[in-house]
Amino acid sequence: MVLTTTEFDTIAAISTPPGEGGISIIRISGEEALDVAKKLYRGKDLDKVASNTINYGHIIDPDTNEEVDEVMLSVMRAPHTYTEEDIVEINCHGGIVATNRILQLALSHGARMAEPGEFTKRAFLNGRIDLSQSEAVMDLIEAKTDRSMKAAINQLDGNLSHLIKHLRQDILDVLAQVEVNIDYPEYDDVETMTSKLLREKATDVHARIVQLLKTAKQGKILREGLATSIIGRPNVGKSSLLNNLLHEDKAIVTDVPGTTRDVLEEYVNVHGVPLKLVDTAGIRDTTDKVEKIGVDRSRKAINSADLVLLVLNASEPLTDEDKKLLSATQDKQRIIILNKTDLPTKIDQDQIKSLADGQNVISTSAIKADGLTQLEELIAKMFFDEGIESSQNDIMVTNARHIGLLNQAKQALEDVVKGLDDGMPVDLVQIDMTRCWDFLGEITGDSYQDELIDQLFSQFCLGK
Ligand code: GDP
């Protein structure tokens, strides 16, 4: 279903973050965008200005003739715009009052308040970008590291979409061929021929999906961050290490008010890997030392983590508490950090190494900031073993929705092959092949349900 632009009304929103700043932008999109702007703007004749120009003038309240702000107004005419509709963007002085006044004036003179993500939703519904590209827009805005940004740009450029479209076309070709074989059998062994064709294509597409899914683990980390817990007994140096990690402007703190994630999320950029720190409140809250001891609390942090940093105090012998934490994390991706190595070592390093199978043990001194580079390199190596740069231009699947659909598509192809093995009639096998085609289509939005679209775009920011 592709809607034409004429079916949409004109929408407006503030596209810049709320608050005081140098400039704020009010964006208006739709058939009447220019008409709305003309009612509020005093300056050049907007009917005569060329597309993609920015024009000096003033915003006036047409009802009172009061001057509201001095502005620069961009005119972008359909169809070569973000939404493929006429767009006007008003750059005003970035104060809360002026910005809101201009938005209110736009709303009372023909525009409707845009829903979150509605501009991008229109770009999708008007066919300028597909669904995976729309999702990449949001990923780009939310990217926590350069590497996450590159993965989002790659997807926004349509590289994933091209691959998916290619696979779908291959499936469609084979389905068409099967139809022809069935309708116009030239040979007696049409059944055998058709089965062979289906099997070959299913195996081929399956292999390519498996290849793509191999990037999913890293891709998901780049998009969502690697959930990381720092655990250990009190006073081993967890918060000192955390502060070290958070140094050098590497910390990205995201506040997401008014959404389901209304907690403060902290990210650290480790060689392009965004570490999303889990449960740091427990570490920071020094008034709560007793509660912190609880292994139960640690267990919660351990369970929710992709990576556990288990901190031990190298200047003390191993305690029972340490041993419990070692055993509670043994099935996890973990790094054992022997901290306080600036002090005389009392911990039995050989015992630790044997407990850890010789894996991922790092010595640090948080006080002297020693060993942190090695720690960061180890983290990057654990999750991007072939090096983060080597996969720079490859297509990555980063989005849990895409990963789920690719897995379903893969399963459908396995059903095709199983059906053929079991001697199922070709028309039944065709159904599984078609299911695969549908699943892939949901990634790009070629086949979709309205509820999915509404739900996806509602997670966007207002004004995007
Ligand atoms: P937490 O309770 O595990 O978060 O531990 P803190 O980070 O609060 O550290 C407890 C104490 O150990 C503080 O006095 C720190 O200054 C000290 N400390 C932390 N790391 C080191 C280290 O590497 N060497 C030394 N000598 N002291 C450290």
Side-chain angles (χ1 to χ4, degrees):
M1 176 176 66
V2 174
L3 300 175
T4 61
T5 50
T6 49
E7 291 180 52
F8 295 125
D9 51 359
T10 296
I11 52 173
I14 299 168
S15 285
T16 38
E20 292 174 10
I23 292 174
S24 286
I25 300 177
I26 296 100
R27 180 188 259 173
I28 311 170
S29 176
E31 217 174 351
E32 288 170 23
L34 275 157
D35 291 335
V36 173
K38 277 191 296 187
K39 289 182 198 156
L40 320 176
Y41 170 80
R42 298 284 176 278
K44 293 182 196 160
D45 182 349
L46 294 184
D47 284 330
K48 295 203 177 120
V49 302
S51 183
N52 300 343
T53 55
I54 185 157
N55 306 280
Y56 175 79
H58 289 86
I59 296 295
I60 313 283
D61 183 336
D63 300 328
T64 60
N65 248 349
E66 181 197 355
E67 186 178 306
V68 177
D69 202 353
E70 183 187 31
V71 299
M72 296 297 288
L73 182 145
S74 308
V75 173
M76 291 161 272
R77 293 183 207 280
H80 299 299
T81 69
Y82 187 70
T83 53
E84 294 210 336
E85 303 169 334
D86 281 347
I87 291 185
V88 170
E89 283 181 3
I90 303 171
N91 292 22
C92 67
H93 290 113
I96 298 165
V97 177
T99 314
N100 278 325
R101 268 294 285 285
I102 297 171
L103 174 67
Q104 290 309 324
L105 285 174
L107 297 180
S108 54
H109 289 86
R112 162 176 72 74
M113 183 72 195
E115 289 161 19
E118 198 170 1
F119 294 96
T120 310
K121 185 177 180 180
R122 288 193 177 185
F124 164 65
L125 291 174
N126 288 329
R128 192 179 70 78
I129 49 177
D130 71 20
L131 201 53
S132 76
Q133 288 174 300
S134 312
E135 289 168 303
V137 170
M138 204 56 211
D139 292 350
L140 189 59
I141 293 172
E142 291 185 345
K144 305 290 182 295
T145 69
D146 284 2
R147 188 63 191 86
S148 326
M149 186 192 78
K150 276 176 190 141
I153 286 274
N154 193 308
Q155 191 175 316
L156 182 59
D157 282 347
N159 293 333
L160 176 66
S161 314
H162 286 148
L163 181 70
I164 298 292
K165 288 197 167 121
H166 204 80
L167 294 178
R168 289 189 92 215
Q169 189 57 47
D170 278 6
I171 295 175
L172 207 57
D173 288 348
V174 82
L175 286 172
Q177 188 60 47
V178 167
E179 285 296 328
V180 172
N181 284 4
I182 292 171
D183 292 346
Y184 306 99
E186 286 176 39
Y187 307 98
D188 295 339
D189 59 349
V190 61
E191 183 82 22
T192 322
M193 285 238 352
T194 309
S195 300
K196 186 165 170 277
L197 201 64
L198 276 168
R199 183 187 297 275
E200 273 173 12
K201 191 48 70 185
T203 313
D204 172 45
V205 175
H206 186 271
R208 284 191 279 167
I209 290 179
V210 167
Q211 200 60 32
L212 199 52
L213 278 169
K214 279 194 187 147
T215 67
K217 198 173 135 218
Q218 294 190 349
K220 201 159 170 283
I221 291 172
L222 285 177
R223 182 172 178 271
E224 294 173 12
L226 182 71
T228 306
S229 286
I230 306 181
I231 62 156
R233 284 187 293 118
N235 289 320
V236 291
K238 294 182 297 297
S239 57
S240 310
L241 281 164
L242 175 67
N243 285 336
N244 271 311
L245 280 174
L246 291 171
H247 268 171
E248 300 162 30
D249 295 333
K250 282 189 299 187
I252 311 140
V253 179
T254 336
D255 204 356
V256 204
T259 69
T260 45
R261 296 174 294 162
D262 56 355
V263 285
L264 199 69
E265 290 181 346
E266 276 179 301
Y267 293 84
V268 188
N269 181 353
V270 171
H271 295 274
V273 184
L275 294 199
K276 180 171 154 187
L277 299 166
V278 180
D279 200 26
T280 50
I283 298 175
R284 293 230 161 116
D285 187 0
T286 43
T287 56
D288 194 18
K289 289 264 181 196
V290 179
E291 205 215 316
K292 272 199 305 179
I293 308 172
V295 177
D296 281 346
R297 174 164 193 143
S298 302
R299 236 181 261 285
K300 212 172 113 221
I302 294 165
N303 286 342
S304 53
D306 300 321
L307 170 67
V308 176
L309 304 179
L310 170 54
V311 188
L312 303 175
N313 183 347
S315 71
E316 289 171 4
L318 206 63
T319 68
D320 285 348
E321 185 82 22
D322 292 331
K323 285 182 196 155
K324 274 188 202 156
L325 291 174
L326 276 162
S327 108
T329 53
Q330 65 186 358
D331 295 329
K332 277 280 179 180
Q333 297 260 40
R334 77 171 168 197
I335 298 177
I336 299 170
I337 300 174
L338 305 181
N339 190 39
K340 305 203 187 185
T341 47
D342 53 296
L343 301 174
T345 303
K346 297 241 175 72
I347 206 162
D348 183 345
Q349 298 212 28
D350 290 337
Q351 187 187 5
I352 303 284
K353 287 205 172 109
S354 79
L355 280 170
D357 278 342
Q359 296 280 305
N360 302 343
V361 182
I362 291 270
S363 297
T364 62
S365 163
I367 287 249
K368 297 194 165 172
D370 271 352
L372 283 144
T373 313
Q374 287 91 319
L375 173 63
E376 294 189 354
E377 277 166 6
L378 179 59
I379 294 172
K381 194 166 141 273
M382 274 171 82
F383 292 90
F384 289 78
D385 45 348
E386 276 143 40
I388 203 151
E389 295 303 323
S390 67
S391 53
Q392 197 94 317
N393 296 314
D394 295 346
I395 300 172
M396 277 196 147
V397 237
T398 60
N399 183 311
R401 190 182 76 85
H402 303 171
I403 296 167
L405 286 165
L406 283 170
N407 274 313
Q408 282 177 291
K410 177 171 154 271
Q411 182 59 52
L413 291 169
E414 284 160 17
D415 293 345
V416 168
V417 174
K418 181 161 189 313
L420 293 169
D421 287 347
D422 294 350
M424 242 159 58
V426 164
D427 50 351
L428 285 182
V429 176
Q430 257 179 303
I431 294 175
D432 286 325
M433 202 73 172
T434 310
R435 272 176 55 230
C436 175
W437 186 78
D438 280 334
F439 288 135
L440 294 176
E442 279 184 52
I443 295 178
T444 49
D446 284 300
S447 48
Y448 65 87
Q449 289 170 344
D450 289 345
E451 299 81 48
L452 166 75
I453 299 300
D454 290 345
Q455 196 247 329
L456 275 182
F457 284 100
S458 67
Q459 296 165 10
F460 272 53
C461 19
L462 206 60
K464 189 68 217 176

